Amino acid sequence: MSDTATRAPDFRHLPWRALRDYYRGEFVASTQVNLAYRGQVMIWVVTSVIQPLVMIVVWQTVAGPSGTVGGYTAGQFVTYFAILMVVEHLTFIWLMWEFEWRIREGAFSPLLLRPIHPIHKDIIDNVSYKIIGLFGVLPGAILLMIVFGADLSGIRPLQLLAFIPALIGAAVLRFAIEWVLALSAFWLTKVSALNNLYFSVQLFLGGGFAPLAVMPAAFGVVAQWAPFSWSLAFPVEVAMGRRTGLDILYGYAMQAGWIVIAIIVLRLVWSRALRHYSAVGA
């Protein structure tokens, strides 16, 4: 085991003012990096349009000009996948792929020597990237709605207000779950197979392939109790007005419950990962 891991500081007692200053400074630095490599950011943004574009064409064709599938018309499919594109951008993280490199190349050791938990830098980098990328994703979503004739009849101001906490809850939940998944790199030499399995499950049970109302009933039952739909489909359904009243509050509660579980698991796995960590090349 690396000496770096055994000397990892106690992150719980960092003063609030120091943490605030760190977030401010690191956010500025991270934003400057994203702006310096804005070409790369825009390439990622452009590629993020491909999946919703394909899904819109497929499900519009299935629904037909005047038909419905699972309660969705062709125009509502456009709205669903356009909003989903924005939600996906604002909730996803890429760290499951990066942790393997960090550990293999010894890049994790310098992070452990800092008097602050590495998760804070990952949060800041993620938020900075999403803000920069939103300048491309949001116009792309609007363009999809215009070109393919989105049905916005279910969207109301109150629904958009309810959408904001649903989106924040989804982002926190997905970040916590996928950071736990990233920690598997401390035990596995290659994590690509596990990551691909996770994203396949997320695609179907999260509502990325199709609205959950379109899927078989068994999918809906599983999705109701799994965390995936609460981190992806739920905010979209709130924005579209397909969830109202107590159903929205129930969704918030499910998000909060899964966030608590994910954070508990994260803390347990993190402590074990540090004891298992062996630095390579640093």
Side-chain angles (χ1 to χ4, degrees):
M1 182 173 62
S2 168
D3 290 341
T4 304
T6 60
R7 294 198 304 267
D10 184 355
F11 305 113
R12 293 173 296 177
H13 303 298
L14 192 69
W16 166 250
R17 182 173 298 178
L19 187 62
R20 181 199 61 192
D21 292 342
Y22 171 79
Y23 265 72
R24 182 187 297 128
E26 190 65 40
F27 179 79
V28 171
S30 182
T31 301
Q32 289 174 342
V33 170
N34 283 321
L35 289 175
Y37 293 95
R38 54 190 175 274
Q40 177 180 323
V41 174
M42 291 312 299
I43 289 173
W44 280 103
V45 168
V46 170
T47 57
S48 69
V49 179
I50 296 176
Q51 180 175 320
L53 176 61
V54 172
M55 294 303 182
I56 287 173
V57 172
V58 169
W59 287 106
Q60 271 202 323
T61 303
V62 172
S66 57
T68 62
V69 179
Y72 282 80
T73 65
Q76 289 171 337
F77 276 118
V78 178
T79 306
Y80 179 87
F81 285 109
I83 298 176
L84 183 70
M85 183 175 75
V86 177
V87 171
E88 172 73 23
H89 172 74
L90 292 175
T91 59
F92 91 105
I93 69 173
W94 57 85
L95 295 168
M96 298 80 67
W97 310 101
E98 186 172 323
F99 261 59
E100 179 186 311
W101 173 85
R102 285 180 178 179
I103 295 168
R104 185 177 63 247
E105 300 298 326
F108 219 95
S109 296
L111 296 176
L112 291 176
L113 291 173
R114 296 181 178 185
I116 190 169
H117 198 296
I119 198 172
H120 293 293
K121 182 177 182 349
D122 290 337
I123 292 172
I124 297 167
D125 290 344
N126 199 252
V127 171
S128 173
Y129 171 83
K130 288 172 178 176
I131 291 175
I132 300 299
L134 194 61
F135 287 97
V137 169
L138 197 55
I142 294 173
L143 185 62
L144 286 176
M145 289 183 179
I146 295 174
V147 172
F148 291 95
D151 180 359
L152 305 178
S153 59
I155 299 178
R156 298 287 187 271
L158 286 178
Q159 293 298 129
L160 294 178
L161 286 176
F163 167 74
I164 295 173
L167 177 62
I168 294 173
V172 174
L173 173 57
R174 192 167 175 186
F175 186 95
I177 290 176
E178 295 181 11
W179 216 81
V180 172
L181 181 65
L183 293 179
S184 65
F186 281 93
W187 289 272
L188 302 178
T189 305
K190 289 290 184 181
V191 298
S192 57
L194 181 61
N195 291 341
N196 289 331
L197 174 62
Y198 168 80
F199 280 111
S200 296
V201 175
Q202 172 82 4
L203 180 66
F204 284 93
L205 292 182
F209 174 74
L212 294 176
V214 176
M215 306 295 283
F219 274 82
V221 174
V222 175
Q224 180 78 5
W225 296 105
F228 307 105
S229 65
W230 306 112
S231 63
L232 201 58
F234 173 63
V236 181
E237 293 169 351
V238 171
M240 292 182 64
R242 302 186 75 88
R243 288 181 180 264
T244 58
L246 293 177
D247 199 19
I248 294 178
L249 296 180
Y250 175 78
Y252 292 161
M254 290 297 293
Q255 286 182 325
W258 275 112
I259 288 171
V260 170
I261 293 173
I263 290 175
I264 291 173
V265 174
L266 190 154
R267 291 175 66 89
L268 292 174
V269 176
W270 171 252
S271 63
R272 291 178 178 272
L274 282 183
R275 291 196 294 269
H276 189 80
Y277 175 56
S278 293
V280 178

